[in-house]
Structures are given as structure tokens and as C-alpha cells.
Amino acid sequence: MEENNTSADMQDNQSLDEQNSQELQTKKKRGGFTSKIGFVLAAAGSAVGLGNIWRFPYLAAKYGGGIFLLTYIVLAVTFGFVLMIAEIALGRKTGMSAINAFKKLNKKWAFLGVLCAIIPIIILPYYSVIGGWVGKYFFTYITGGGASAAGDNFFNAFITSPWQPLLFFFIFVSIVFVVVLFGVEKGVEKVSKFLMPALVLLTIGVTIYALTMPGSAEGIKYYLLPDFKKFSVKTVLAALGQLFYSMSLAMGIMITYGSYMKKQDKIESSVHQIEVFDTGIALLSGLMIIPAAYAFSGGNPETLGQGPGLMFVALPKVFANFGNVGGGILGALFFALVLFAALTSAISLMETVVSIVIDKFHLSRKKSSVIVYVGTLLLGIPSSLGFGVWSAVSVGGMTILDMFDFLSNSILMPIAALLTCVFIGYVVGCQNLTDEIELNGPFKFKKFFNVMIKYVCPICIAAILVTSILDAFGVFNI
Ligand code: PHE
């Protein structure tokens, strides 16, 4: 890519090379992306996953449809944009992963690297439980059980069964482990170049069909038209947590990706591309699932509150309309592609956790991978059993999986994001990062970036967090 640099560019790059020769040396050792599109695809591969296809639609359904959608989009183009730029620039500037990047710039802020490290450790196990669910559906479809998957009780019977979800969870984590252990991510990345577009095309196709089903019109309205009466701080908190989760922000992952990015590549335009891709798939998934769920529930919004099961309940019913054979093929294909998207995200999560273990405890890659594998299995078991044998364990109506999800997305990630803004705005200084972003061209949204990082993001996130904590303790009801 971008071989036709002008001589001025070349000179710039040369002096840049000298300045940063040490960093570049480290970078060489760490490997790196050879082209901008390679970077964008890899980052999008981490970003696009269950967060877009499974989590976004059920949150949108739960938090009022259109109003959630609107809140999400506003947050994506403001908070999401500046935070992703900031993290990638931070990574590229330091040439390090999160745990060391903060430390390098200021010793006292090393704790923020640790906080960022805890988040993927919490997410990976329960992410893999849902990955296991997808695996089960894929397996059901390829073994000809598509019709039964559309049955009313199929999903419930599955997640409440004592061993089945555990088995699929174990298989899912084991696949991720094998990929990470043998370092075959590159191969996975290559395949994902074909499979991700296939997933997008299939989703578009299913969406068009789902939108023409009788009874879906109400659902489309619910999803697209904001009802401002349904707006509350909870909507914002949920949308914010979803934004971080979906874009793999506030947990150091984009810092690590940034550390592999070449100095010549443009950060700003890469971020635009990743964002459009990630948000586009989330919005499309909502459009595929919510109107269908509406149609099948006879327009009863109550059933839209299905929570984590929404995708698994709604889609098989759509596929069943295509008959046994057609529906079977469609279901198998769809769940295979979703499974793949989930695997690529889980691989990037496990990679992150493994490198944290390597950095912190100075263990070999092999040993670290085994530790993370066993740890993930152990930590995921409660989330899996929480829908069945341990369903009695719940806090405020949340299952164990919901609790982990809430802890990471609605508490820890906003805190990490808030601190990252404070760190950049007041400790490192925005200028330091904007210089990095401007290495190869003007930064169009520089002023906006500065104001957001210094004032808007930290103040808003703090306000949202405080309000929801007060709410959780019953100080007042929002
Ligand atoms: N962003 C991924 C998704 O939407 C989840 C993820 C989070 C993956 C963090 C890697 C790291 O599914």
C-alpha cells in the first residue's frame, strides 16, 4: 500500500525513523501490520463479534428501541470516535500494550494499565459461554435439527440443562486456546477476510426478508422511532457500556493494536472506517432481530425483554419459514459465520490476557496460555450454570452472566474510559497525542478531540456513573 510517497513525505518519515528508531526497533520485534487496510481489518475483526450481533439487539430491545439506537449513535460519533483515536494514538506513540503504555508515560498511572487488564479477564469467560451457545446452534443446524431449534422451548431447555452449555463452552474455549497456543492467528485472519463480508451479506439478506414478514412493521417502528419518554440515565449507561464493548475500547485492546500500527498510516481515517464497520453491523443486526422478534411475539413488547436469549429465540423462527431444507442450510450458514466472528473476537481477547500474563509474571507463552485457558474455563463455569443449576444466585434480577457483564461494561469500562481521558487531558497532555495523529496529515477533528477528552467525556461519564450508582443503592430512582 501507499508506496507512492512524495519525497517530502519520505524525508519526514526518515527523520521520524531516526527519532523513533528505538521504538521502531521494538516494533520490529513485535511484528506489525504491513498495510493500513491490514490494520483496519484486524481491528475490525476484534471489534465485530457477539457484541454487535448478539448484545446490541437485545439491549436495544430492552432499553426502548429507537431511543437506545439514537443514544448509541450519538455516543459512537462523539465518545467512541475520540476514545478510539486516543487509544490507538497512545499505543502507536508508546509502541507498547496497555499495561506498559500508561507506565511508560507516567509511573504513577501504572494502575490504569492494571485496571484495563482486569476487564478482558472478566469478559473472556462469559463471552465464551455465549460463544458456546452459538456453537450449539450451529451444531443443531448441521445435524438437521433446525426445526426443533425454532421450537418455543428449545433455547430454555438448552440453557437450563446442566451439562450441555458447559460442554459447548468448553469446546469454544478449547478452540480459542489451540489457536492462541499455536499462534495461528494469521491463518484465522486470512480466512476472516472472506468470512466477514459473507456474514455482512447474509445479514443483509436475512434482514430484508425479516422486514417483509407480516407483523414486523410495528417492530421496525419500535426500533427506529425514538420514544423520548423512555429515555433515562440508564439508557445512556447501557449504550455507553455497549459502545466500549462493541468497539473493544476501555480495556487496552486498541492500545495494543495501535502499538503495531505503522507510523505512516493515518489514524483518523482508520478509526472512521473501523467505526462505520462496527456500528453498521450492530445497527443491521438490530434491524434483523427486533422486527422479527416483534412479529413472532404477536407484537408483545414484553417478550422483547428476553435479554441475552433474544437472538437465539428470534432467528431460528425466521429460518424455519424457509422450510426444513432451506431453513436448515440458512441456519447452519448463519450460525457458522456468527461463530467465526465470535471466535476472532475471543482470540483477540485471549491474546490480550495471555500477553498480560507474560508481561506481568514473565512466564513463557506456552505456560501463560495454559494458565489463561484453565482460568477461563473455571471463571466461565458459574456464568454458564447461572442459567440452570445455579439460577437461584442472582442480584437485582441479574443472572451470574449478567452480573459479570454489568461489572465489566457498566462499571469498570466507564471508569477506565474516564481515567484514560483524565490521563491524556491532564497528565500526558492532548498535544502529545495530537502530534502523533498529525504525523502524516492534518487532524480534522483536533479541536473537538481536545474539548471532548478534557471536558465533555470525563464530566459526562462521571455524571452517568454517579447517578447510576446512587440509583443502584436506591438513593433515588431514575
Ligand atoms: N468487540 C467485541 C464484540 O463486539 C468484543 C470484544 C471485546 C472483543 C474486547 C475483543 C476485545 O463482540
Side-chain angles (χ1 to χ4, degrees), residues 196-215:
M196 294 298 261
L199 175 64
V200 176
L201 289 182
L202 190 63
T203 307
I204 293 176
V206 176
T207 307
I208 293 173
Y209 176 76
L211 293 183
T212 58
M213 283 184 332

Side-chain angles (χ1 to χ4, degrees), residues 315-330:
L315 285 182
K317 291 188 193 291
V318 176
F319 300 147
N321 281 356
F322 288 84
N324 257 348
V325 179
I329 296 174
L330 204 58

Side-chain angles (χ1 to χ4, degrees), residues 96 216 387 412 448:
M96 292 171 171
S216 64
F387 289 93
L412 297 180
F448 176 72

Side-chain angles (χ1 to χ4, degrees), residues 203-277:
T203 307
I204 293 176
V206 176
T207 307
I208 293 173
Y209 176 76
L211 293 183
T212 58
M213 283 184 332
S216 64
E218 276 305 301
I220 302 174
K221 269 196 217 147
Y222 178 79
Y223 180 56
L224 294 181
L225 298 180
D227 175 355
F228 289 91
K229 279 192 275 2
K230 292 194 178 124
F231 183 81
S232 79
V233 176
K234 278 187 188 156
T235 321
V236 189
L237 184 68
L240 194 68
Q242 169 62 18
L243 177 71
F244 296 150
Y245 184 89
S246 181
M247 294 196 184
S248 308
L249 292 175
M251 58 183 108
I253 291 196
M254 285 299 156
I255 301 184
T256 309
Y257 274 91
S259 74
Y260 291 119
M261 190 187 195
K262 285 208 300 191
K263 292 276 182 194
Q264 294 93 305
D265 291 340
K266 292 196 170 71
I267 296 184
E268 192 178 9
S269 59
S270 308
V271 169
H272 282 309
Q273 287 166 2
I274 301 167
E275 245 201 339
V276 167
F277 205 60

Side-chain angles (χ1 to χ4, degrees), residues 46-52 123 127 244-248 251 253 278 345-346 348-349:
S46 159
V48 176
L50 292 173
N52 310 59
I123 293 183
Y127 195 88
F244 296 150
Y245 184 89
S246 181
M247 294 196 184
S248 308
M251 58 183 108
I253 291 196
D278 187 72
S345 291
S348 96
L349 274 167

Side-chain angles (χ1 to χ4, degrees), residues 283-294:
L283 303 192
L284 198 61
S285 302
L287 203 54
M288 167 174 71
I289 291 172
I290 295 177
Y294 231 94

Side-chain angles (χ1 to χ4, degrees), residues 169-199:
F169 158 66
F170 271 50
I171 296 173
F172 185 89
V173 183
S174 304
I175 297 173
V176 176
F177 168 65
V178 168
V179 172
V180 171
L181 183 68
F182 293 108
V184 287
E185 294 88 338
K186 283 269 165 309
V188 175
E189 252 168 46
K190 271 196 199 123
V191 190
S192 87
K193 276 186 197 154
F194 301 103
L195 293 190
M196 294 298 261
L199 175 64

